[in-house]
Amino acid sequence: MAEAVSEHRIELAWQRQGVFSHEGFERQHQIRFNDELVVAAGGAGNAYGSDPEQMLAAAMASCHMMTFLALASKKRLQVLSYEDEAVAELEQRDDGKFRVGRIRLSPKAVFEGEAPDAEALQKMHAKAHDHCFIANSVSCDVAITPR
């Protein structure tokens, strides 16, 4: 096993509310990322806060963006803005278990001055994906379709 280069901690807290049984239980919980950021979370498809599948999509999109921006800065490109619409697709495996089988990223980078052409942009996104820590940590497919 490789030696850890760094650690990234969160604190998660859940408290029973109402009945806890095999028929159902409250899924609301809190995730503390640091002293100033607490995120409301819940189960898949909840109306309370982020679900784990959304957080995986967010982690992938954020890591891809940070890697893309690092590559752009090394190329001396001036990025004005970057946005993405990420989707995690849940699927059922042949053995009946569920998994995130694909994450779809739809990044849009706006440049000041000279912008890379479509082919160069695609190559930058491919390299960003290749070097993204989160992409290198998951087994699901990742589809990147720049806008």
Side-chain angles (χ1 to χ4, degrees):
M1 183 176 211
E3 182 177 332
V5 174
S6 62
E7 293 182 341
H8 306 267
R9 296 177 187 269
I10 61 100
E11 295 174 8
L12 183 140
W14 172 89
Q15 182 71 42
R16 186 176 86 190
Q17 298 175 30
V19 176
F20 182 83
S21 77
H22 68 282
E23 293 177 350
F25 54 91
E26 181 56 58
R27 287 165 171 74
Q28 292 182 18
H29 57 283
Q30 304 278 319
I31 302 171
R32 178 178 299 279
F33 288 89
N34 57 44
D35 289 339
E36 298 172 8
L37 179 61
V38 177
V39 173
N46 78 92
Y48 173 69
S50 298
D51 63 44
E53 297 79 9
Q54 289 173 314
M55 287 187 270
L56 180 60
M60 182 69 73
S62 180
C63 184
H64 182 86
M65 177 193 70
M66 296 305 294
T67 309
F68 179 89
L69 293 175
L71 293 171
S73 71
K74 288 182 181 184
K75 290 179 172 287
R76 307 288 194 258
L77 295 169
Q78 294 296 308
V79 183
L80 289 174
S81 64
Y82 184 103
E83 58 188 49
D84 200 344
E85 296 176 10
V87 177
E89 297 177 358
L90 200 61
E91 66 183 22
Q92 190 170 15
R93 302 185 322 196
D94 292 338
D95 64 3
K97 295 179 182 175
F98 288 90
R99 70 183 289 262
V100 171
R102 172 184 286 199
I103 297 175
R104 291 183 283 126
L105 303 180
S106 301
K108 179 181 179 184
V110 176
F111 297 88
E112 178 180 51
E114 188 174 337
D117 62 23
E119 182 181 345
L121 191 61
Q122 188 64 43
K123 285 180 181 177
M124 286 178 66
H125 280 293
K127 188 171 183 177
H129 177 70
D130 189 49
H131 290 276
C132 171
F133 304 157
I134 303 300
N136 289 326
S137 302
V138 300
S139 62
C140 66
D141 292 332
V142 179
I144 303 166
T145 308
R147 297 181 280 142

